[in-house]
């Protein structure tokens, strides 16, 4: 049979492949990042990456709209929470939109309630066109973060400002918050009353009370329906009547403001929406202007603690002049300097007696604790990368691979000679 001899080039290639497969370090996870979600008008998804065990989430609701003639809307709330997560977990983010009172400088612009449950402001007609009577502004939409079909965070939106030709700004929308604040009003009996906040029940504000026989009562604002803010009354009659602002969306929506009587110009502001969050969450009332927002800050998993040494007492490391009692057990990898074609030296060859003594500290042991099981530590993911035991094992594998390559090279050299 023809003998096949492998050249040193093949040996080198094998050595390089062994180094790549055995000695290459593990790829580390990507560094923790910060992700910002703006209003899109539709839900978005965030997937927790490998090596991330905790998120710091800041969610803000949309602000209520400012009436073109009338009062400003309330600001949206902010909820900040630290959340424990696992790799691959999906969070659904739905950012609320600010309400609007319309814009006289934009042809065809209308007042509206913001995406996310903002209620519609009141109007003397169904167009909600600013300038065509006193138009109440819409409430701001809530911002939600859910996981597994359950709400994790809801940041309430602000209530819309009341429409009034007095334009004195006193009937502003309530702010979104943990409970939210009620919509404001002038306090006059003939004026519309502010809507209640979500945390205060979300009832619509009462309409103004007529004070003369030639007047008639105003119309009450609509109450919240679940997470949606209440809608203010439309078709209230006289375009000069004050119109209520829409309620803000939230964990519970705010109520809409009531309209004034026919002889009074002041409506009531919409109530702000309430908010919710996990334990230890912090709530800030009236923190956000404009559209809502969600910011997710990733926090890497904590490094695992190193396993204790399996040896009960320290043992000296072996040296070239060590006695046979300090030689490694025959079940371990042979010394890389031993030649397979020569008789084993008493000081370097493997010992066949199990009573020669314990293995040196740092060598592989069959009696050490396996370390914490997967999932240990409250279900958090372990940090990717090499720990101290893993690095030691990789080093021993590299030494073994090098020894094997060395023997093959010497054997090949003898054959060629």
């Amino acid at each position: 049979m023809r003998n096949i001899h492998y050249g040193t080039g093949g040996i080198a290639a094998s050595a390089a492949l062994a180094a790549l497969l055995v000695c290459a370090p593990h790829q580390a996870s990507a560094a923790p990042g910060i992700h910002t979600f703006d209003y899109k008008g539709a839900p978005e998804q965030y997937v927790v990456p490998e090596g991330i065990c905790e998120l710091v989430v800041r969610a803000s609701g949309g602000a209520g709209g400012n009436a073109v003639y009338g009062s400003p809307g309330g600001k949206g709330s902010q909820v900040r929470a630290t959340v424990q997560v696992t790799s691959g977990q999906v969070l659904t983010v739905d950012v609320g939109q600010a309400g609007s009172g319309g814009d006289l400088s934009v042809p065809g612009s209308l007042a509206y309630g913001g995406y996310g449950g903002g209620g519609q402001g009141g109007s003397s007609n169904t167009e909600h066109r600013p300038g065509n009577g006193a138009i109440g502004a819409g409430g701001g939409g809530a911002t939600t973060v859910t996981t597994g079909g359950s709400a994790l965070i809801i940041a309430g939106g602000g209530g819309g400002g009341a429409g009034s030709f007095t334009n004195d700004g006193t009937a502003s929308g309530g702010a979104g918050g943990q409970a939210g604040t009620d919509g404001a009003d002038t306090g006059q009996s003939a004026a519309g009353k502010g809507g209640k906040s979500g945390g205060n029940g979300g009832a619509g504000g009462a309409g103004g009370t007529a004070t003369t026989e030639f007047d008639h009562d105003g119309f009450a604002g609509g109450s919240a329906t679940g997470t949606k803010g209440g809608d203010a009354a439309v078709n209230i009659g006289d375009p000069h009547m004050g119109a209520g602002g829409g309620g803000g969306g939230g964990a519970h929506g705010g109520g809409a403001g009531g309209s004034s009587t026919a002889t009074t110009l002041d409506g009531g502001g919409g109530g702000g929406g309430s908010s919710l969050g996990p334990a230890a969450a912090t709530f800030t009332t009236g923190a956000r202007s404009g559209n809502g927002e969600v910011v997710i800050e990733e926090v890497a998993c904590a490094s695992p603690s190193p396993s204790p040494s399996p040896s009960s007492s320290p043992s000296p490391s072996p040296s070239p002049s060590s006695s046979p009692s300090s030689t490694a057990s025959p079940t371990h990898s042979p010394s890389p300097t031993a030649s397979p074609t020569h008789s084993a030296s008493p000081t370097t060859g493997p010992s066949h007696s199990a009573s020669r003594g314990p293995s040196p500290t740092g060598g592989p042991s069959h009696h050490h604790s396996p370390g914490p099981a997967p999932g240990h530590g409250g279900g958090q993911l372990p940090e990717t990368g090499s720990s101290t035991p893993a690095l030691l094992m990789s080093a021993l594998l590299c030494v073994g691979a090098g020894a094997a390559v060395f023997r093959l090279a010497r054997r090949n050299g003898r054959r060629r000679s």
Side-chain angles (χ1 to χ4, degrees):
M1 179 180 294
R2 182 181 179 183
N3 292 329
I4 299 176
H5 297 285
Y6 295 95
T8 56
I11 297 298
S14 299
L17 179 61
L20 285 174
L21 296 178
V22 179
C23 303
H26 297 291
Q27 183 179 4
S29 298
I34 298 177
H35 305 268
T36 300
F37 296 83
D38 300 317
Y39 164 69
K40 296 292 190 302
E44 300 179 86
Q45 288 190 334
Y46 164 83
V47 181
V48 178
E50 186 76 20
I52 299 300
C53 289
E54 188 175 273
L55 301 175
V56 179
V57 182
R58 296 188 301 276
S60 302
N66 302 323
V68 171
Y69 298 111
S71 300
K75 294 181 179 180
S77 66
Q78 184 184 86
V79 182
R80 184 184 188 277
T82 300
V83 182
Q84 304 301 314
V85 292
T86 56
S87 174
Q89 185 174 345
V90 178
L91 275 64
T92 300
V93 177
D94 202 8
V95 178
Q97 179 189 23
S100 173
D103 188 345
L104 290 176
S105 65
V106 179
S109 174
L110 303 175
Y112 56 82
Y115 171 85
Q120 179 67 60
S123 174
S124 63
N125 54 62
T126 58
E127 286 188 335
H128 298 280
R129 188 185 306 277
N132 186 16
I135 307 297
T143 292
T144 62
V145 179
T146 60
T147 183
S150 299
L152 183 66
I153 294 174
I154 299 179
S164 171
F165 281 129
T166 62
N167 204 32
D168 59 8
T170 57
S172 59
Q178 185 172 11
T181 61
D182 297 340
D185 57 61
T186 64
Q188 297 172 329
S189 61
K193 305 302 183 287
K196 294 296 182 180
S197 71
N200 291 329
T209 302
T211 57
T212 71
E213 59 180 318
F214 304 104
D215 201 359
H216 64 78
D217 293 340
F219 296 87
S223 296
T225 305
T227 60
K228 184 184 182 306
D231 295 330
V234 296
N235 293 326
I236 56 178
D238 190 332
H240 296 90
M241 292 171 65
H252 194 288
S259 71
S260 71
T261 68
T263 60
T264 309
L265 303 179
D266 299 302
S274 66
S275 307
L276 67 79
T282 58
F283 301 84
T284 304
T285 300
R288 181 76 180 179
S289 298
N291 295 327
E293 181 184 65
V294 172
V295 178
I296 296 177
E297 181 179 354
E298 298 168 346
V299 180
C301 302
S303 300
S305 301
S307 301
S309 173
S311 177
S312 58
S313 59
S315 301
S317 299
S319 63
S321 60
S322 299
S323 64
S325 62
S326 63
T327 305
S329 172
T331 61
H332 304 309
S333 301
S335 170
T337 58
S339 171
T341 59
H342 292 79
S343 300
S345 171
T347 60
T348 60
S351 171
H352 298 282
S353 173
S355 62
R356 292 289 185 178
S359 299
T361 301
S365 171
H366 299 284
H367 304 286
H368 67 279
S369 172
H376 177 73
Q380 294 183 352
L381 294 175
E383 183 180 24
T384 56
S386 300
S387 61
T388 301
L391 287 173
L392 180 59
M393 184 59 70
S394 296
L396 290 174
L397 289 173
C398 291
V399 169
V405 171
F406 180 78
R407 294 190 194 97
L408 289 173
R410 293 191 61 174
R411 187 177 301 158
N412 184 66
R414 292 191 186 93
R415 289 177 180 175
R416 293 176 63 87
S417 60

